[in-house]
């Protein structure tokens, strides 16, 4: 791409339509995350990494915002195979294990989680795939191809093992598919097939013990043991969620304050393990109270709304799919995380977007935001 083409592309954008609300909501959440992570752990490494993730994420967001998303999407097959490749690398001897799960690889000394990048690449891939095959969209052959292409990365993520992220990935892909021009009758037929299959798989997970290799033992204890009062291993898992409820309740309206030394603090008593990741909202509830909790939830909801608004206002399928995919990712993952910390659902191990510690996760989220901003800035394109 020569200089003139670059300048022409930059001039073609309607900069007055930049969605500053989306940027503000994301930055506010990230800043809250930095402070809460600092209070959740005595290890400043997490805070430094989160700040690096925020600054680096904002830089990447601006860069991506200025690149035509249709140009990026032209390489959708390359993105798909790259996503499959990095997920395979995680399962190879190069993958790093933490707390029984092999989900990370080391890149220049920095531990990254490839499944986070894979979600972004798959969002772009399926949005572009549907956009390029509008005429074949309502054929069984094309639907079966999409299902096969979706199953491969979902299984790879599941084998890490990461059941929760594999479910989130599948839900994102389904959301993108449902934003397409699939006929209503066709959707009903697919749903009538998919729902019984999903129910059958869930029944197998519940009824068969872990030695049958349907799920790993720890997954069995989390899912089934959550409802089994006699399961001692599951009771230890539930114990953390029970402490989470106590901590949130103790926070009251305004909380105990960040970095407090209260002897009645559940966090200070170290009753919550890994509070900077999966149970970060517990810290929000205890130290920022109902007011802080409501602010975090409200900001998450506003980000989801803005993503959906951009998606449904997009003039073409690819922009609609990517924006709705990001909104689904943030909304669904937040719902699951909040359900876990309030003990509504079993412990899944999912982080809270923009808040939980995680350099790669935060930077990928901002890349997503950059693409959505670009979609909102764009005039109609022909992909």
């Amino acid at each position: 791409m020569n200089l003139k083409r670059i300048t022409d592309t930059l001039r073609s954008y309607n900069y007055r339509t930049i969605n500053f609300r989306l940027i503000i909501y994301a930055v506010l959440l990230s800043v809250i995350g930095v402070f809460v992570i600092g209070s959740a752990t005595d290890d400043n490494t997490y805070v430094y990494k989160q700040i690096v993730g925020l600054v680096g994420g904002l830089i990447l967001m601006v860069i991506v915002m200025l690149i035509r998303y249709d140009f990026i999407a032209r390489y959708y097959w390359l993105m798909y195979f790259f996503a499959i490749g990095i997920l395979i690398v995680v399962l190879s001897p190069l993958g790093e294990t933490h707390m029984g799960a092999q989900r990370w690889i080391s890149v220049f000394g920095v531990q990254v989680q490839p499944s986070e990048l894979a979600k972004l690449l798959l969002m772009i891939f399926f949005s572009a795939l549907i956009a390029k095959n509008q005429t074949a969209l309502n054929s069984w052959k094309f639907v079966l191809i999409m299902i096969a292409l979706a199953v491969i990365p979902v299984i790879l993520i599941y084998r890490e093992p990461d059941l929760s992220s594999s479910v989130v990935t599948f839900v994102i892909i389904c959301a993108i598919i449902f934003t397409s021009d699939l006929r209503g009758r066709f959707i009903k037929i697919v749903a009538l097939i998919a729902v019984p299959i999903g129910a059958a798989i869930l029944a197998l997970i519940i009824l068969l013990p872990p030695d049958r290799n349907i799920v790993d033992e720890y997954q069995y204890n989390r899912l089934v043991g959550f409802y089994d009062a006699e399961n001692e291993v599951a009771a230890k898992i539930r114990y953390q969620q029970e402490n989470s409820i106590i901590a949130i309740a103790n926070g009251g309206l305004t909380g105990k304050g960040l970095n407090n030394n209260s002897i009645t603090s559940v966090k200070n008593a170290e009753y919550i393990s890994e509070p900077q990741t999966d149970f970060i909202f517990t810290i929000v509830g205890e130290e920022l109270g109902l007011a802080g909790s409501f602010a975090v939830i409200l900001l998450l909801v506003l980000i989801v709304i803005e993503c959906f608004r951009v998606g449904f206002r997009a003039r073409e399928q690819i922009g609609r799919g990517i924006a709705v995919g990001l909104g689904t990712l943030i909304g669904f993952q937040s719902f699951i995380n909040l359900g876990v910390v309030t003990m509504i659902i079993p412990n899944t191990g999912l982080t809270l977007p923009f808040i939980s510690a995680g350099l790669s996760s935060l930077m990928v989220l901002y890349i997503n935001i950059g693409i959505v901003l670009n979609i909102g800035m764009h005039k109609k394109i022909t992909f």
Side-chain angles (χ1 to χ4, degrees):
M1 183 180 288
N2 56 41
L3 182 59
K4 184 179 184 303
R5 190 173 178 182
I6 293 174
T7 55
D8 288 343
T9 298
L10 295 176
R11 288 173 182 172
S12 69
Y13 298 150
N14 185 1
Y15 293 98
R16 290 176 299 178
T17 63
I18 294 178
N19 194 332
F20 288 105
R21 293 188 303 275
L22 181 56
I23 299 173
I24 293 170
Y25 300 151
V27 171
L28 283 175
L29 267 180
S30 301
V31 171
I32 292 173
V34 169
F35 282 105
V36 176
I37 291 168
S39 181
T41 176
D42 295 328
D43 188 353
N44 290 330
T45 302
Y46 290 106
V47 178
Y48 297 147
K49 285 185 176 180
Q50 201 72 0
I51 293 174
V52 170
L54 173 56
V55 174
L58 287 170
I59 294 172
L60 290 173
M61 180 193 74
V62 173
I63 294 173
V64 172
M65 183 181 71
L66 298 176
I67 301 175
R68 289 173 62 98
Y69 69 92
D70 58 318
F71 173 78
I72 296 173
R74 290 174 188 173
Y75 305 97
Y76 63 104
W77 277 109
L78 180 62
M79 292 182 181
Y80 179 79
F81 288 116
F82 184 74
I84 299 300
I86 59 177
L87 292 175
I88 291 174
V89 169
V90 174
L91 298 175
S92 74
L94 295 175
E96 298 183 2
T97 302
H98 178 62
M99 296 186 68
Q102 189 169 327
R103 303 175 186 173
W104 297 268
I105 57 175
S106 182
V107 180
F108 301 112
V110 178
Q111 195 178 60
V112 298
Q113 191 170 353
S115 61
E116 296 297 329
L117 178 59
K119 292 174 188 176
L120 166 62
L121 298 176
L122 292 171
M123 274 192 282
I124 298 173
F125 170 75
F126 280 98
S127 298
L129 181 67
I130 293 171
K132 290 286 284 185
N133 294 274
Q134 289 292 310
T135 56
L137 192 57
N138 285 287
S139 69
W140 278 109
K141 180 181 178 181
F142 183 69
V143 171
L144 291 175
I145 289 174
M146 283 198 297
I147 292 173
L149 291 170
V151 165
I152 295 172
V154 168
I155 289 177
L156 288 173
I157 295 173
Y158 171 78
R159 293 303 303 166
E160 293 180 359
D162 194 349
L163 176 60
S164 52
S165 288
S166 64
V167 171
V168 171
T169 303
F170 183 72
V171 169
I172 293 169
I173 295 172
C174 287
I176 293 171
I177 293 173
F178 278 95
T179 63
S180 66
D181 295 326
L182 274 174
R183 292 193 298 265
R185 182 177 64 85
F186 206 75
I187 292 176
K188 291 178 182 177
I189 294 174
V190 173
L192 286 172
I193 296 173
V195 171
I197 292 176
I201 293 173
L202 181 61
L204 287 173
I205 291 175
I206 294 174
L207 297 176
L208 294 180
D211 57 5
R212 298 295 180 89
N213 294 323
I214 299 296
V215 293
D216 291 333
E217 185 174 1
Y218 91 96
Q219 292 173 329
Y220 180 86
N221 287 325
R222 281 187 171 186
L223 293 173
V224 181
F226 180 77
Y227 306 100
D228 183 2
E230 298 180 0
N231 188 316
E232 295 182 0
V233 176
K236 294 180 180 179
I237 297 174
R238 288 198 307 271
Y239 180 67
Q240 185 166 226
Q241 289 179 281
E242 290 165 354
N243 287 330
S244 174
I245 295 175
I246 295 172
I248 294 172
N250 285 344
L253 180 60
T254 57
K256 297 178 180 295
L258 293 172
N259 301 298
N260 71 83
N261 295 317
S262 173
I263 59 174
T264 61
S265 169
V266 173
K267 181 208 73 176
N268 292 339
E270 298 183 352
Y271 288 152
I272 302 291
S273 62
E274 301 290 334
Q276 73 279 1
T277 53
D278 302 353
F279 282 83
I280 193 68
F281 190 78
T282 303
I283 309 302
V284 173
E286 183 173 52
E287 302 198 342
L288 300 181
L290 179 62
S293 300
F294 178 78
V296 167
I297 294 173
L298 177 62
L299 288 170
L300 287 167
V301 170
L302 289 173
I303 289 176
V304 173
I305 291 173
E306 291 300 328
C307 289
F308 283 157
R309 285 182 61 190
V310 172
F312 291 125
R313 290 179 177 181
R315 299 178 181 180
E316 59 285 316
Q317 168 59 41
I318 183 170
R320 183 163 60 248
I322 294 173
V324 170
L326 176 59
T328 302
L329 164 65
I330 296 173
F332 185 69
Q333 187 161 320
S334 298
F335 173 79
I336 297 298
N337 179 273
L338 296 176
V340 168
V341 300
T342 54
M343 206 174 172
I344 297 174
I345 60 176
N347 192 344
T348 60
L350 273 179
T351 56
L352 188 62
F354 296 102
I355 301 291
S356 295
L359 187 148
S360 57
S361 173
L362 187 60
M363 295 184 74
V364 170
L365 281 170
Y366 274 102
I367 294 174
N368 274 285
I369 294 292
I371 297 176
V372 172
L373 292 171
N374 185 267
I375 294 170
M377 292 166 57
H378 244 298
K379 297 175 182 178
K380 187 173 182 178
I381 63 169
T382 301
F383 176 67

